[in-house]
Amino acid sequence: MGVDGISSGITQSAMQLKNLQISAEMGTAVMKQVMDQALEENTQLLQTLPKQDGLGAVLDVRV
């Protein structure tokens, strides 16, 4: 394998690594967006639940 082959291999490896990095960043961004949306939906759901006087306000558990 000559110098051109080594350079080509290094270039291909660098490109593959960069593509994996971009793919991971996109996956992280999508997951963050999904989690933020789920948090918002759950917060809205909790606000629609009726408030009970004292029920569930204090929970004392020993394990």
Side-chain angles (χ1 to χ4, degrees):
M1 182 184 300
V3 175
D4 289 336
I6 293 173
S7 295
S8 177
I10 292 172
T11 302
Q12 287 177 350
S13 294
M15 287 176 25
Q16 289 174 347
L17 183 60
K18 189 62 175 178
N19 286 339
L20 287 173
Q21 181 183 10
I22 291 170
S23 178
E25 288 173 358
M26 288 178 60
T28 301
V30 169
M31 181 60 71
K32 182 183 181 313
Q33 188 175 15
V34 168
M35 291 174 67
D36 287 345
Q37 184 177 359
L39 177 63
E40 182 179 330
E41 289 173 0
N42 288 332
T43 301
Q44 290 174 358
L45 178 62
L46 286 173
Q47 290 174 351
T48 62
L49 294 175
K51 302 264 189 260
Q52 301 286 332
D53 290 336
L55 183 63
V58 177
L59 181 63
D60 187 14
V61 178
R62 289 187 180 186
V63 178

